[in-house]
Amino acid sequence: MGYSIQPVQIWTNGQASEGNFIDASIVNDNLSNYAQFYWAISNVTTSPDGDTKQTLAQGNTTISGADYTAWGESQDVNLAAYQYICSQLNLTLIP
């Protein structure tokens, strides 16, 4: 699924590139108090022939404690996961 983000400059392969999209998925969730997310920031461009996505950065982040509880109680846990990941990465999500 993924979401657009406010464009951010990412240094990759010796040059600055603009990331404007984030994907994420759950790697591990103990269904109690801890989860690990995988995230990838990409540059997505749209053309008449379709979208092109180039991954610029990727990694993992964890959620636990009160943040895990709040995430689990959210009405839209998918959106809440992206909001949490973006807050950890200092990115602005565009839902």
Side-chain angles (χ1 to χ4, degrees):
M1 181 175 140
Y3 284 96
S4 294
I5 56 173
Q6 181 177 346
V8 60
Q9 293 294 310
I10 297 175
W11 189 259
T12 180
N13 297 327
Q15 64 182 15
S17 299
E18 184 176 275
N20 59 6
F21 194 82
I22 187 166
D23 285 301
S25 60
I26 295 176
V27 175
N28 181 28
D29 185 350
N30 71 1
L31 302 177
S32 176
N33 60 3
Y34 170 89
Q36 180 181 8
F37 300 109
Y38 165 80
W39 55 265
I41 299 171
S42 303
N43 175 275
V44 174
T45 54
T46 303
S47 73
D49 297 327
D51 292 348
T52 303
K53 185 187 291 187
Q54 176 188 10
T55 301
L56 303 174
Q58 56 191 337
N60 292 286
T61 192
T62 60
I63 188 170
S64 61
D67 290 329
Y68 181 92
T69 301
W71 168 56
E73 293 173 350
S74 176
Q75 287 188 1
D76 185 343
V77 293
N78 291 322
L79 177 58
Y82 278 94
Q83 290 170 328
Y84 178 80
I85 294 164
C86 285
S87 73
Q88 296 300 297
L89 299 175
N90 200 28
L91 300 172
T92 302
L93 188 68
I94 303 172

